[in-house]
Amino acid sequence: MTIPRLLVVDDDEDMRSMMTRFLHRSGFAALPAGTEAEIRAHLEAGRIDLILLDVMLGDENGTEICARLRRDQNVPVIFVSALSADHQRMAGYEVGADDYIAKPFNPDLLIARVRAVLHRAQRTPSLAYRRRTETYRFAGWVYDARRDEVRSPEGFEVALSRRETALLKVLLANPRIPLTREEIAAALDVAGDGTDQPGRAIDVLVGRLRGKIERNPRDPQLLRTERGLGYVLATDVTTEEA
């Protein structure tokens, strides 16, 4: 249920904006960056599952940036560049890139390549993926994924519907990360009704979950509203693996 967080790195603001919007519509959380300093800031601030990196970044060089990232980062990198000669592609792979896509590109092909790289990354140990997690602990609460049970800080089991449990899993996989209604809906495969699509359905589902895990649902402290954006699980989450 983890929503992949992608970093779009391009010095062209219009290109960054276009790619970020497209990735959001495709069910990803996409963040923009234009320099190596901004890349580092995002990596330090939270989980990044994949970087889409342009080769030419004004005065900076994406190939050199990738080489430096590989010294201390395991995050997958896909080069997206107008430089498409064979030797330029080879330079990208030599510094550790996972894929190389030439501009201009077919948007559907970009999504397919992103998903393929993410799928490969899930097969290897990484801080970005909690593949064997059995137990989540947050603010005194415990979610046992193996038994699909939720227990309150007082030790009482709290019954959640299938949809509520699915929402909780998305939140636990993305702690302290603001998620839009669209991102949550994509993760839960929630369709709109043709009128509010699908924001209202997510709002109702969040309200139901709050009613079961918040001490005061009218003043939520765990599942908070991010004004103008969506929702965030505003607490740390610890995990135990099988």
Side-chain angles (χ1 to χ4, degrees):
M1 287 293 187
T2 302
I3 297 174
R5 286 169 57 83
L6 277 52
L7 191 58
V8 178
V9 186
D10 199 301
D11 64 338
D12 185 323
E13 185 175 353
D14 290 338
M15 177 60 72
R16 285 200 311 269
S17 179
M18 182 275 290
M19 290 181 65
T20 300
R21 290 196 304 270
F22 177 71
L23 290 166
H24 274 301
R25 292 197 298 270
S26 300
F28 300 100
L31 306 169
T35 65
E36 183 174 3
E38 292 177 359
I39 295 173
R40 293 287 183 179
H42 281 295
L43 290 171
E44 292 175 3
R47 195 192 79 238
I48 297 296
D49 297 312
L50 184 146
I51 298 174
L52 292 165
L53 178 60
D54 191 12
V55 173
M56 302 306 295
L57 293 172
D59 295 332
E60 297 183 300
N61 184 289
T63 304
E64 295 175 358
I65 291 173
C66 183
R68 286 191 288 271
L69 288 174
R70 279 291 168 260
R71 296 171 188 168
D72 57 11
Q73 297 287 336
N74 193 37
V75 59
V77 174
I78 297 178
F79 277 118
V80 183
S81 175
L83 304 177
S84 58
D86 287 345
H87 73 277
Q88 291 160 338
R89 291 174 179 269
M90 288 303 301
Y93 290 125
E94 286 173 359
V95 296
D98 296 85
D99 204 344
Y100 197 112
I101 300 174
K103 297 178 182 177
F105 53 82
N106 181 316
D108 292 334
L109 175 62
L110 174 67
I111 295 302
R113 303 277 276 273
V114 165
R115 287 175 174 159
V117 171
L118 287 172
H119 182 68
R120 290 198 299 271
Q122 288 176 351
R123 298 179 182 177
T124 60
S126 169
L127 292 177
Y129 298 96
R130 295 165 174 175
R131 305 295 293 171
R132 300 177 61 197
T133 297
E134 294 288 352
T135 303
Y136 296 81
R137 299 182 186 276
F138 61 105
W141 289 79
V142 178
Y143 172 60
D144 186 328
R146 183 179 56 185
R147 298 180 179 179
D148 211 21
E149 292 180 353
V150 179
R151 293 192 176 277
S152 71
E154 294 76 25
F156 299 110
E157 184 175 350
V158 176
L160 300 184
S161 70
R162 185 171 62 180
R163 278 291 193 199
E164 292 162 356
T165 300
L167 172 59
L168 180 61
K169 289 180 180 179
V170 171
L171 296 168
L172 292 174
N174 300 276
R176 296 193 182 279
I177 297 173
L179 302 174
T180 67
R181 291 169 175 81
E182 291 75 17
E183 289 167 349
I184 296 172
L188 300 180
D189 194 24
V190 173
D193 61 4
T195 58
D196 220 17
Q197 7 346 324
R200 179 56 183 165
I202 296 302
D203 291 340
V204 170
L205 185 58
V206 166
R208 290 175 179 168
L209 182 58
R210 279 175 170 166
K212 295 182 178 181
I213 68 171
E214 295 282 2
R215 293 189 182 278
N216 181 2
R218 294 185 178 182
D219 183 25
Q221 300 300 307
L222 296 178
L223 181 43
R224 295 184 179 178
T225 300
E226 286 287 307
R227 295 193 180 279
L229 182 64
Y231 300 100
V232 61
L233 183 66
T235 185
D236 293 329
V237 176
T238 60
T239 63
E240 297 175 7
E241 298 182 348

